[in-house]
Amino acid sequence: MESTGNRRTPKTIAAKVRPITNTAQAQALVIYQAAVEAMQQGKFEKAAQTFSRLAGDCPLEIRERVRIYVAACDRYLTRSE
């Protein structure tokens, strides 16, 4: 049985990603990524400081995550003291 050519091509997530045109937003995302990496490495104090620095100026897309990560870092730091 041969294909009729009516197959749909799968959609990729890349088609939905908006390009970053604002340099301040791009810089905030770089800082956010560095803070997440610090948290993954167990450097919670450094991550909390970096996330806190971002909290006021970060894009709306990551603002809630930044707030949650700051709280998680603070919780870990108070528990480990």
Side-chain angles (χ1 to χ4, degrees):
M1 190 176 238
E2 290 189 31
S3 175
T4 61
N6 291 333
R7 294 177 50 162
R8 295 174 59 182
T9 58
K11 294 182 181 180
T12 63
I13 194 166
K16 296 185 180 203
V17 174
R18 293 180 293 157
I20 298 174
T21 57
N22 184 346
T23 56
Q25 184 178 11
Q27 181 65 23
L29 290 175
V30 168
I31 294 169
Y32 172 81
Q33 193 171 23
V36 169
E37 288 175 11
M39 191 174 174
Q40 290 172 342
Q41 294 170 359
K43 300 175 183 174
F44 294 101
E45 189 170 341
K46 179 180 177 181
Q49 291 171 352
T50 307
F51 282 127
S52 294
R53 193 175 84 201
L54 258 182
D57 296 335
C58 67
L60 289 172
E61 292 87 3
I62 62 171
R63 188 170 294 157
E64 183 64 19
R65 280 182 269 167
V66 166
R67 188 185 65 78
I68 290 169
Y69 282 143
V70 167
C73 289
D74 289 343
R75 201 172 324 119
Y76 183 84
L77 290 170
T78 57
R79 188 174 53 190
S80 64
E81 290 178 352

